[in-house]
């Protein structure tokens, strides 16, 4: 309707200036229309717009325009005179469709808001995904600014929320593990903090379809002098024994040998303790364990421990029965002993591969290598060749000329000279690579043991080795690790504890309880091995990862640490050094003198009814050098503190030889002539006991305290 009025207004402007007031009169007629009579007011109001619509559409000539202009003033004279209205009413029935044209523009404005109403919900729909919580993996070394980009927010918004919680940070600060929970609340997303090594391992698993077979890594284990190094010497066709003092391996050596067209990496350990120490640090180094057993001696205590360590690691075992060339060799006896340890060889219907060899005469060495490759093929040992190189430190030392050196076993990727890396709390750049023969290399592939030059400091054995992109990234990550290391660590709860067993069962964290059992005699060990697994319930299974006779040793603690087990001792004790290691490794050690007390504790632990336990904490030991008998005072023992410290008021255990004479309490403690509360190691002191009885020079006073620990 509006486009039709536009040409009409131009035409009227050319003819006469009276057209403008005529339009106004049309509007005036429309306003009073409801108040006037319906037949007269309604008819003229409709006639005014009708002629223009009819005259514009067919391209009207100039004479038609004055006629239309005259018709408009005629409408003005209708109200006072009442004449000439008959022509207008007669035209309205003819132009009946005109009112519909008048209402069209009214319908269009009504339709315009509708699309707007549709667009507004669409905008709201676009903003909904922004507020949905997402899971974001934050890699070690990521700063606040990068985190905000991943969370689609601004650093200012996040820092303001942290500031409200009295946490002052800047956009360039690295995200620490301890701040993840607060940052999750500030960003509105679920954040997970992972180390650089873990992130690289996940990336390799994500691209698992790109993995290729790699050489197997084999660890040779067994009893002392059963021929481990001689076997490796026969395999490598080199004389390693002559290079070692006394013919016994003094350090971890890793060597790669060729078997046909394939390679095998061997690790010769100084014992299973080193193997477990690496595993307790989270380093899965070995793919296959070759257990060397002498055919003339059979299974020894250290052999049984090696079996327990290998089984706890979940590593396939190949038995190499060595020294079959000796006249007293008895292979069948060895196989029978192995069956008692749960290793049933294939000849007896089991799954354990066994090869009879003579390392000295190099007999059946080729068959052993073939069996190793066969087991490796069954295990489908693979690695990713293109991810940033990952490895494990087997050994490290400080060379007087070259500086810090470390033997690295490459697990993923390819290591090249010139790459930057991090290793625990040290970093560096690969300046040189050497193989086991001392030859210089430019690159090292998967499963290759290489000596790396370029460390800032000497790393620890078992530390993860990870290549990073830049030196700045390496320094930033190491700086964060050093700052976290300086902070006082909270006392870590034991990895496995009878006190917390029921709580972890309720939380669904624990489904089995692993135990390391030590007893005074083999008969007690057999009884415990029969009784303890029978205490399992539907919710928790009790399994013994190792059992043996003798005192609790560091090896037992390390095995428990790697297996997340509890150490139980029956009629045996653990030395202070071993207890310190257990505390360091967060391993719970419990000792009992009555067997039913041990079984009752396990039953109550499973049922959640375990009562508070009283533990002994050894403070130190002092050797009695001289006895002083002072009138009106009593007997004073002149002592020299050999270990730990002696504290006044502590309980004491008087030891002579291997037996305990009696228990007493330290009532007085003097250093020189002054009374003191405690005396440290390597100092002399005078100790007064409430029960002196028959003490002698050479006796040992062991000071200890008892503490009560309530179940969690």
């Amino acid at each position: 309707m509006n486009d039709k009025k536009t040409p009409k207004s131009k035409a009227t402007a050319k003819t006469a200036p009276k057209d403008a007031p005529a339009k106004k009169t049309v509007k005036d007629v429309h306003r009073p229309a409801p108040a006037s009579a319906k037949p007269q007011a309604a008819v003229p109001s409709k006639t005014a717009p009708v002629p223009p619509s009819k005259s514009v559409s067919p391209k009207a000539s100039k004479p038609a325009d004055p006629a239309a202009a005259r018709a408009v003033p005629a409408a003005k004279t209708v109200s006072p005179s009442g004449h000439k209205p008959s022509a207008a009413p007669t035209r309205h029935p003819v132009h009946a469709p005109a009112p519909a044209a008048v209402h069209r523009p009214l319908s269009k404005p009504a339709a315009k808001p509708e699309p707007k109403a549709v667009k507004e919900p669409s905008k709201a729909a676009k903003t909904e995904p922004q507020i949905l919580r997402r899971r974001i993996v934050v890699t070690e070394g990521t700063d606040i600014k990068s985190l905000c980009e991943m969370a689609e927010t601004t650093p200012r918004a996040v820092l303001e929320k942290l500031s409200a919680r009295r946490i002052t940070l800047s956009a360039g600060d690295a995200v620490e593990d301890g701040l993840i929970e607060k940052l999750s609340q500030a960003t509105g997303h679920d954040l997970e903090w992972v180390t650089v090594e873990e992130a690289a391992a996940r990336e390799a698993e994500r691209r698992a379809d790109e993995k290729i077979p790699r050489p197997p890594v084999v660890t040779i284990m067994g009893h002392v002098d059963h021929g481990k190094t001689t076997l490796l010497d026969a395999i490598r066709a080199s004389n390693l024994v002559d290079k070692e003092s006394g013919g016994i391996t003094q350090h971890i050596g890793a060597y790669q040998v060729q078997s046909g067209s394939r390679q095998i990496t061997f690790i010769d350990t100084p014992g299973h303790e080193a193997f477990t120490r690496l595993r307790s640090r989270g380093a899965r180094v070995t793919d296959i364990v070759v257990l060397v057993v002498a055919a003339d001696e059979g299974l020894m205590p250290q052999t049984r421990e090696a079996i327990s360590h290998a089984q706890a690691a979940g590593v396939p075992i190949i038995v190499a029965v060595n020294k079959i060339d000796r006249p007293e060799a008895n292979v069948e006896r060895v196989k029978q002993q192995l069956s008692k340890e749960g290793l049933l060889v294939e000849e007896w219907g089991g799954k354990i591969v066994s090869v009879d060899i003579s390392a000295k005469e190099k007999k059946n060495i080729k068959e052993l290598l073939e069996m190793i490759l066969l087991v490796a093929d069954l295990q489908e040992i693979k690695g990713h060749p293109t991810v940033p190189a990952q490895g494990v430190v087997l050994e490290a030392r400080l060379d007087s000329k070259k500086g810090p050196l470390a033997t690295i076993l490459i697990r993923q990727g390819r290591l090249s000279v010139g790459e930057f890396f991090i290793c625990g709390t040290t970093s560096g750049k690969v300046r040189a690579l050497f193989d086991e023969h001392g030859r210089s290399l430019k690159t090292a592939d998967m499963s290759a043991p290489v000596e790396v030059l370029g460390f800032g400091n000497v790393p620890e054995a078992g530390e993860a080795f990870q290549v990073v992109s830049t030196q700045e990234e390496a320094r930033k990550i190491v700086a964060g690790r050093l700052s976290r290391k300086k902070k006082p660590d909270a006392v870590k709860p034991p990895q496995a504890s009878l006190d917390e067993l029921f709580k972890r069962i309720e939380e669904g964290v624990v489904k089995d309880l692993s135990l390391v059992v030590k007893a005074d005699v083999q008969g007690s060990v057999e009884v415990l091995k029969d009784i303890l697994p029978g205490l399992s319930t539907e919710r928790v299974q009790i399994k013994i990862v190792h059992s043996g006779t003798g005192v609790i040793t560091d090896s037992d603690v390390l095995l428990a640490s790697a297996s997340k087990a509890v150490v139980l001792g029956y009629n045996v004790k653990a030395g202070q050094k071993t207890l310190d290691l257990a505390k360091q490794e967060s391993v719970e050690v419990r000792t009992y003198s009555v067997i039913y007390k041990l079984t009752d504790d396990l039953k109550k632990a499973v049922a959640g009814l375990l009562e508070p336990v009283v533990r002994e904490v050894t403070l130190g030991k002092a050797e009695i050098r001289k006895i002083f008998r002072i009138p009106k005072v009593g007997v004073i023992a002149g002592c020299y503190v050999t270990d730990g410290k002696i504290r006044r008021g502590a309980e004491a255990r008087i030891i002579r030889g291997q037996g305990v004479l009696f228990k007493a309490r330290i009532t007085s403690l003097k250093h020189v002539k002054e009374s003191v509360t405690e005396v440290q190691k390597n100092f002399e002191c005078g100790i007064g006991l409430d029960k002196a009885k028959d003490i002698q020079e050479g006796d040992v006073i062991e000071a200890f305290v008892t503490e009560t620990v309530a179940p969690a």
Side-chain angles (χ1 to χ4, degrees):
M1 188 70 181
N2 293 334
D3 355 42
K4 294 179 181 180
K5 285 183 180 181
T6 305
K8 173 64 182 173
S9 61
K10 291 179 181 178
T12 53
K14 291 178 182 179
T15 54
K18 295 180 181 179
D19 294 339
K23 291 181 181 177
K24 292 181 181 178
T25 55
V26 173
K27 294 180 181 178
D28 295 336
V29 171
H30 282 288
R31 289 177 185 171
S36 61
K38 290 182 180 179
Q40 293 180 353
V43 172
S45 65
K46 294 178 181 178
T47 56
V50 172
S53 63
K54 188 176 181 182
S55 60
V56 173
S57 58
K59 294 182 180 179
S61 60
K62 290 181 180 179
D65 294 334
R70 289 170 188 169
V72 176
K76 187 176 182 181
T77 58
V78 170
S79 56
S81 60
H83 297 288
K84 298 181 181 179
S86 56
T90 55
R91 291 177 184 174
H92 275 290
V94 179
H95 300 286
V102 173
H103 290 288
R104 284 177 188 169
L106 295 176
S107 61
K108 287 181 181 177
K112 286 181 181 177
E114 291 180 2
K116 289 183 180 179
V118 175
K119 289 181 181 178
E120 290 178 3
S122 65
K123 290 181 181 178
K126 290 181 181 178
T127 58
E128 283 180 4
Q130 297 179 0
I131 61 174
L132 292 176
R133 293 186 71 89
R134 293 185 291 114
R135 180 175 173 272
I136 300 176
V137 178
V138 183
T139 306
E140 182 183 13
T142 303
D143 55 22
I144 300 290
K145 182 180 179 181
S146 302
L147 171 62
C148 293
E149 291 176 358
M150 291 187 289
E152 297 180 359
T153 184
T154 61
R156 180 177 179 181
V158 173
L159 294 175
E160 285 178 353
K161 292 179 181 179
L162 293 177
S163 179
R165 297 172 177 240
R166 297 181 180 179
I167 301 174
T168 304
L169 292 174
S170 64
D173 289 341
V175 177
E176 297 293 342
D177 187 17
L179 293 174
I180 282 296
E181 184 177 351
K182 295 180 176 63
L183 285 171
S184 297
Q185 298 171 358
T187 58
H189 298 286
D190 297 325
L191 306 182
E192 181 187 4
W193 188 88
V194 297
T195 62
V196 177
E197 295 85 356
E198 177 65 20
R202 291 186 182 185
E203 177 64 18
E205 289 301 320
R206 188 182 66 83
R207 298 160 56 186
D209 55 336
E210 301 176 15
K211 288 186 175 182
I212 60 173
R214 61 171 177 81
V217 179
V218 180
T219 298
I220 298 179
M221 300 172 66
H223 190 69
V224 176
D225 199 30
H226 271 202
K228 294 183 296 179
T229 304
T230 307
L231 172 60
L232 188 58
D233 177 51
I235 293 172
R236 294 180 59 231
S238 62
N239 193 356
L240 292 181
V241 177
D242 292 343
K243 299 179 183 179
E244 298 168 359
S245 58
I248 300 175
T249 307
Q250 298 299 320
H251 62 84
I252 296 177
Y255 317 95
Q256 203 164 42
V257 300
Q258 196 81 15
S259 177
S261 60
R262 302 172 64 179
Q263 290 181 319
I264 304 174
T265 300
F266 285 92
I267 299 177
D268 185 21
T269 70
H272 50 267
E273 290 185 22
F275 169 83
T276 304
R277 188 179 293 273
L278 289 174
R279 193 167 68 88
S280 66
R281 292 179 179 272
R284 173 67 186 267
V285 177
T286 305
D287 299 315
I288 299 171
V289 167
V290 173
L291 182 68
V292 180
V293 184
D296 57 340
E297 294 184 359
L299 265 64
M300 304 297 285
Q302 197 172 2
T303 311
R304 292 184 171 88
E305 289 184 10
I307 293 172
S308 299
H309 285 243
Q311 289 177 331
V315 180
I317 299 175
I318 297 176
V319 178
V321 183
N322 193 21
K323 301 182 181 181
I324 60 173
D325 54 303
R326 293 193 175 184
E328 59 271 23
N330 190 340
V331 177
E332 293 302 316
R333 183 188 63 180
V334 172
K335 295 178 180 178
Q336 184 179 7
Q337 292 175 339
L338 289 171
S339 65
K340 293 182 179 180
E341 300 297 325
L343 299 180
L344 195 63
V345 299
E346 290 179 333
E347 296 177 5
W348 289 24
K351 297 182 179 179
I352 302 299
V353 177
S354 175
V355 182
D356 301 339
I357 65 170
S358 173
K360 185 177 180 179
E361 297 183 357
K362 299 180 176 58
K363 185 178 181 181
N364 294 338
I365 301 299
K366 185 178 179 181
E367 287 78 359
L368 176 62
L369 296 179
E370 290 176 354
M371 286 297 151
I372 291 173
L373 293 174
L374 177 62
V375 173
D377 291 338
L378 294 175
Q379 295 294 317
E380 295 184 354
I381 300 171
K382 295 182 177 181
H384 203 294
T386 59
V387 297
Q390 291 179 289
V392 178
V393 178
L394 297 181
E395 64 174 359
R397 59 190 175 89
L398 182 63
D399 189 88
S400 59
K401 296 181 180 179
K402 298 179 181 179
L405 287 171
T407 302
I408 307 294
L409 180 67
I410 308 299
R411 302 293 292 172
Q412 302 271 7
R414 171 180 288 183
L415 181 63
S416 303
V417 175
E419 290 184 315
F420 299 100
F421 63 86
I422 57 172
C423 186
T425 55
T426 185
S427 63
K429 180 181 179 180
V430 181
R431 292 165 51 195
L433 295 173
F434 305 98
D435 64 5
E436 66 268 25
H437 303 291
R439 295 175 299 195
S440 179
L441 303 173
K442 291 185 178 180
T443 60
D445 293 322
M446 293 183 293
S447 300
V450 290
E451 198 169 44
V452 178
L453 174 65
F455 283 84
N457 297 299
V458 178
E460 295 184 12
E463 290 283 4
F465 178 92
Q466 178 64 56
V467 169
V468 294
S469 55
T470 63
Q471 187 176 19
E472 182 182 358
E473 181 184 359
R475 289 176 177 174
K476 191 174 183 180
I477 294 171
V478 169
R481 292 182 177 181
L482 289 173
S483 64
R484 289 194 297 272
K485 192 175 182 180
K486 290 178 182 178
K487 295 178 181 178
D489 295 333
V491 179
K492 295 190 297 183
Q495 300 181 53
S497 168
L498 295 187
D499 295 337
E500 296 187 353
L501 177 62
F502 184 74
K503 179 182 176 182
R504 296 188 180 187
I505 294 173
E506 289 291 322
E507 294 174 351
V509 177
V510 174
K511 293 184 179 179
D512 51 48
L513 175 63
S514 300
L515 300 175
V516 174
V517 179
K518 298 298 290 290
D520 53 348
V521 293
Q522 186 62 31
S524 300
V525 173
E526 297 298 330
V527 171
L528 291 173
K529 287 174 65 176
D530 292 337
I531 294 176
L532 298 183
L535 302 178
S536 302
T537 65
E538 296 179 356
R539 303 178 65 185
V540 60
Q541 294 293 318
I542 297 176
K543 62 179 183 179
I544 299 175
V545 296
H546 174 64
S547 61
T549 58
V551 297
I552 299 171
T553 63
D554 293 356
S555 175
D556 300 324
V557 172
L558 290 172
L559 176 59
S561 175
S563 307
K564 296 182 179 179
V566 177
V567 180
L568 299 180
Y570 175 64
N571 280 338
V572 293
K573 296 288 183 180
Q576 186 58 40
K577 182 182 177 182
T578 302
L579 293 176
D580 292 341
L581 178 63
K583 186 177 180 181
Q584 178 183 341
E585 297 289 335
S586 300
V587 173
E588 182 178 39
V589 178
R590 286 175 173 254
T591 56
Y592 299 88
S593 57
V594 182
I595 197 167
Y596 78 82
K597 176 62 177 172
L598 187 155
T599 56
D600 282 353
D601 277 1
L602 277 181
K603 291 178 182 177
K604 292 176 181 177
V606 172
L609 302 175
L610 192 63
E611 298 177 356
V613 62
V614 178
R615 296 176 180 172
E616 280 189 8
V617 178
T618 303
L619 298 177
K621 295 180 180 179
E623 180 184 351
I624 300 177
R625 299 284 179 89
K626 195 170 183 180
I627 304 295
F628 299 94
R629 302 185 184 276
I630 303 175
K632 298 182 180 180
V633 174
V635 178
I636 300 297
C639 303
Y640 180 81
V641 182
T642 58
D643 186 28
K645 59 186 177 182
I646 302 297
R647 182 185 301 172
R648 186 177 61 193
E651 294 183 75
R653 191 181 289 113
I654 313 303
I655 301 173
R656 181 177 298 169
Q658 299 295 325
V660 177
L661 295 180
F662 60 90
K663 291 183 179 180
R665 182 175 296 275
I666 299 175
T667 56
S668 64
L669 182 64
K670 287 190 175 184
H671 175 61
V672 189
K673 294 183 178 181
E674 296 181 359
S675 296
V676 293
T677 56
E678 64 180 35
V679 178
Q680 298 289 336
K681 180 181 178 181
N682 297 330
F683 284 94
E684 294 180 343
C685 62
I687 300 176
L689 304 172
D690 60 348
K691 301 175 184 176
K693 292 187 177 179
D694 185 24
I695 58 175
Q696 299 177 4
E697 296 179 3
D699 292 347
V700 175
I701 299 177
E702 183 182 62
F704 65 94
V705 294
T706 57
E707 57 182 20
T708 303
V709 181

